[in-house]
Amino acid sequence: MGKYEFWFVVGSQFLYGDDVLKTVEARAKEMAAELSKALPYPLVYKVTAKTNQEISDVVKEANYRDECAGIVTWCHTFSPSKMWINGLASLQKPYCHLATQYNEAIPDEEIDMDFMNLNQAAHGDREHGFIAARLRMPRKVIAGYWKDEKIHKRLSDWMKAAVGVVVSKGMKVMRFGDNMREVAVTEGDKVEVQTKLGWQVNTWAVGDLVREMGEVTEAEIDALMAEYESKYDIATDDIAAIRYQAREEIAMKRMMDREGCKAFSNTFQDLYGMEQLPGLASQHLMAQGYGYGGEGDWKVSVMTAILKAMGENGNGASAFMEDYTYHLVKGQEYSLGAHMLEVCPSVAAGRPRIETHHLGIGMNEKDPARLVFEGKAGKAIVVSLVDMGGRLRLIVQDIEAVKPILPMPNLPVARVMWRAMPDLTTGVECWITAGGAHHTVLSYDVTAEQMRDWARMMDIEFVHIDKDTTPEKLEEELLVKDLVWKLK
Ligand code: MN
């Protein structure tokens, strides 16, 4: 979490004299220091900008500095916006306009024209907002008193979304083999995602992984087994199967770390030379922040890594998920999500168990070890990135996860049960209408607003299905967006 910071750039001009500028600077420093205490990343005061040159210089530096994940601007006084054009036009980092005010109340007795000239964010921020609108800049606008907790929460959320942008732009994904044969939704234009989102999507042979597995030592496996035992209950006698998963995990992690990859995909159709599809191995890698997608789904893999990085403490409760089957009993309509093995334990309600079971799908010679658990209850979202041909569409649906209403003792995989918004069947209609995939990222700590912010910063289409969505309104929205994105 200490890796990134945000820069506080305050707008002003020379018109008000040195004393006002000194006051503005002192207050801006105080605000940055105080806000930093309430935010997940430091907000670093940079400059009280009064000229085109100062603004261009700070933007140039922000673009260049890897640790700068975005800029936050504010106009304590009036800052004529033509002098912001050159700087803003070259800005390559996420941008938030914090429309706030140093003082909370208007001081009844003390207010005079000096007070008015110092405290004029109400019109300074409008001038500042206009130029970003005129330049069609993707930006977040947050308005309110800077000491208000609600403002801290919204600025925190935006910062995490901005970190999601930085993470996306540096993302490398390791594909072990290709996508599952004939599947459409897991396909995508790799050149387009690299251009738009920064992702480097490349493939490595399963044979390379098998060779790497052969070089893992028994001592390395012993160390990882001790870690498994500290985190999970061992609920199988087949210790060899767990050790095999440890071998797979160590080899995959080594290959990813060597290449700087933070996400990976594989498919049960391409396991030549491996005894088990990685189950526990993939789950424990996800717990460490790596993204994963089954059946070669590299898009959902990278989205899992990004949502994890956007979540609490830089590795939140976000998991690769698949809509599996429905409970359609009236009054208890739920979707049951799982995967054949690989659900991230960050969404577990309790301590996961390591179990081994037969897996009929794929070329498994041995029963793969996997973590089995119930997902926790609570508000969440599911996220799907699809390639519409010529553009990417991000679909987000609000959901309410529940404690699974059935024990399902013979289900050999981790499971999460939820109700989609606005209700299960309408939600399904909307999701299918929008083209949402069966694979998603399910997240408890990233919000739809953050995903909207992320999509805006990445310049991709965003569709949100929430409690107020109707199939009719959605159909119209998709029609309009189809036109808009063809023109863009
Ligand atoms: Mn799947």
Side-chain angles (χ1 to χ4, degrees), residues 105-257:
I106 294 170
D108 188 16
E109 297 288 327
E110 293 158 38
I111 190 163
D112 56 15
M113 270 331 279
D114 286 343
F115 181 94
M116 295 281 267
N117 282 332
L118 178 62
N119 301 284
Q120 50 176 311
H123 72 281
D125 276 327
R126 282 170 163 75
E127 167 73 3
H128 188 64
F130 163 73
I131 204 63
R134 170 69 195 266
L135 295 173
R136 274 77 174 169
M137 292 189 66
R139 92 275 208 210
K140 179 77 174 177
V141 182
I142 298 176
Y145 183 48
W146 62 284
K147 288 185 180 172
D148 184 353
E149 277 177 18
K150 208 175 113 191
I151 296 304
H152 299 166
K153 171 78 171 74
R154 295 192 67 213
L155 196 51
S156 296
D157 284 355
W158 174 79
M159 281 181 164
K160 290 176 188 171
V163 164
V165 171
V166 177
V167 168
S168 179
K169 288 187 175 171
M171 181 58 67
K172 293 171 88 171
V173 54
M174 183 166 279
R175 302 172 66 227
F176 292 110
D178 206 338
N179 298 42
M180 180 181 165
R181 287 187 285 275
E182 305 291 354
V183 177
V185 79
T186 58
E187 294 288 351
D189 182 337
K190 303 186 193 81
V191 173
E192 176 74 6
V193 296
Q194 188 159 0
T195 309
K196 274 279 182 191
L197 310 175
W199 304 357
Q200 299 170 55
V201 185
N202 289 296
T203 189
W204 273 262
V206 175
D208 290 341
L209 174 57
V210 171
R211 189 188 314 124
E212 192 76 37
M213 283 167 56
E215 282 162 25
V216 175
T217 67
E218 293 302 315
E220 287 165 339
I221 293 172
D222 289 343
L224 187 51
M225 287 293 287
E227 196 177 338
Y228 289 162
E229 280 167 37
S230 73
K231 291 178 175 169
Y232 313 125
D233 289 339
I234 311 275
T236 174
D237 296 329
D238 191 354
I239 302 303
I242 307 176
R243 292 185 69 86
Y244 194 81
Q245 291 283 334
R247 181 181 294 279
E248 291 177 324
E249 176 181 336
I250 293 164
M252 287 193 288
K253 185 171 189 308
R254 200 163 281 166
M255 285 180 69
M256 282 195 279
D257 291 352

Side-chain angles (χ1 to χ4, degrees), residues 180 186 268 293-295 297 320-322 324 338-340 342 438-439:
M180 180 181 165
T186 58
F268 63 87
E295 291 84 66
D297 192 344
F320 166 57
M321 186 55 63
E322 180 168 274
Y324 243 101
H339 205 257
M340 64 176 84
E342 315 89 341
H438 58 285
H439 283 168

Side-chain angles (χ1 to χ4, degrees), residues 229-437:
E229 280 167 37
S230 73
K231 291 178 175 169
Y232 313 125
D233 289 339
I234 311 275
T236 174
D237 296 329
D238 191 354
I239 302 303
I242 307 176
R243 292 185 69 86
Y244 194 81
Q245 291 283 334
R247 181 181 294 279
E248 291 177 324
E249 176 181 336
I250 293 164
M252 287 193 288
K253 185 171 189 308
R254 200 163 281 166
M255 285 180 69
M256 282 195 279
D257 291 352
R258 198 184 294 144
E259 299 290 339
C261 295
K262 284 295 285 177
F264 68 108
S265 63
N266 57 17
T267 168
F268 63 87
Q269 284 172 337
D270 190 356
L271 294 178
Y272 191 81
M274 296 170 81
E275 290 175 7
Q276 301 175 28
L277 177 65
L280 168 62
S282 297
Q283 291 172 298
H284 193 243
L285 282 167
M286 278 187 272
Q288 295 163 72
Y290 293 91
Y292 173 77
E295 291 84 66
D297 192 344
W298 48 269
K299 295 200 302 301
V300 80
S301 172
V302 174
M303 289 310 298
T304 304
I306 291 172
L307 268 85
K308 281 184 153 294
M310 283 168 62
E312 283 305 310
N313 302 314
N315 183 12
S318 300
F320 166 57
M321 186 55 63
E322 180 168 274
D323 288 81
Y324 243 101
T325 194
Y326 299 128
H327 192 66
L328 293 171
V329 176
K330 279 213 169 22
Q332 0 171 271
E333 287 120 330
Y334 295 108
S335 194
L336 181 68
H339 205 257
M340 64 176 84
L341 299 175
E342 315 89 341
V343 177
C344 178
S346 65
V347 302
R351 191 174 154 97
R353 295 182 310 281
I354 299 177
E355 300 182 9
T356 50
H357 298 277
H358 175 67
L359 178 63
I361 295 174
M363 311 189 294
N364 296 279
E365 295 166 21
K366 301 268 171 68
D367 294 352
R370 80 289 304 272
L371 294 170
V372 179
F373 55 84
E374 284 188 344
K376 55 190 182 180
K379 285 196 189 314
I381 55 170
V382 283
V383 176
S384 172
L385 181 74
V386 293
D387 187 329
M388 296 298 290
R391 73 173 190 281
L392 299 159
R393 170 182 285 169
L394 188 74
I395 306 159
V396 175
Q397 184 163 38
D398 294 350
I399 63 167
E400 176 92 41
V402 297
K403 177 176 168 49
I405 61 168
L406 308 162
M408 300 176 279
N410 294 314
L411 184 65
V413 291
R415 72 294 302 268
V416 182
M417 192 172 252
W418 69 82
R419 190 166 56 86
M421 298 294 147
D423 59 72
L424 180 71
T425 50
T426 313
V428 169
E429 287 176 18
C430 291
W431 187 265
I432 288 173
T433 300

